[in-house]
Amino acid sequence: RVVGLERDKIKHMVLQYVQNAGADGAKRSDIMDYLGGTLPSRNTPEQNLKLLGNIMGEMNQEGLIETRNRLWFPKHD
C-alpha cells in the first residue's frame, strides 16, 4: 500500500489547483473533477469525496489552504 504517497500526491494536486484558481477560489466539486483518476478507484464516489474533504481539512490545519464561503483559497501569511 502506498497510502502516504497517494495522500502527498493528492495534497500537491489540490494545492496546485487552488493556487491556479487564485482570487476566484475553488469549489470542492471542481477540485474533485480535477483529481479524477488520482483518487482510489476502490472507493465509492462518496468515500472519495469524504477522503478529499479530510485531506483539505488537514491542509487547512497545516496552513496551506483556507476556506471562505465554501470556496478554497491558498493561504497567505
Side-chain angles (χ1 to χ4, degrees):
R1 290 181 48 156
V2 287
V3 175
L5 182 66
E6 278 182 20
R7 249 184 136 70
D8 286 346
K9 182 179 174 187
I10 291 168
K11 280 185 178 185
H12 179 74
M13 289 178 73
V14 167
L15 188 59
Q16 200 172 27
Y17 188 88
V18 170
Q19 286 171 338
N20 289 343
D24 293 335
K27 284 195 252 174
R28 187 173 68 169
S29 59
D30 292 339
I31 295 169
M32 188 81 182
D33 292 342
Y34 171 70
L35 290 175
T38 309
L39 297 171
S41 55
R42 66 183 176 276
N43 288 359
T44 64
E46 292 78 18
Q47 286 172 319
N48 277 335
L49 196 62
K50 184 153 180 61
L51 173 68
L52 180 59
N54 290 343
I55 289 173
M56 291 173 74
E58 277 177 30
M59 292 175 72
N60 188 17
Q61 288 185 328
E62 292 166 4
L64 297 172
I65 59 176
E66 62 186 345
T67 181
R68 294 191 298 264
N69 301 326
R70 299 181 65 106
L71 292 173
W72 291 88
F73 298 89
K75 183 106 175 188
H76 300 293
D77 293 336

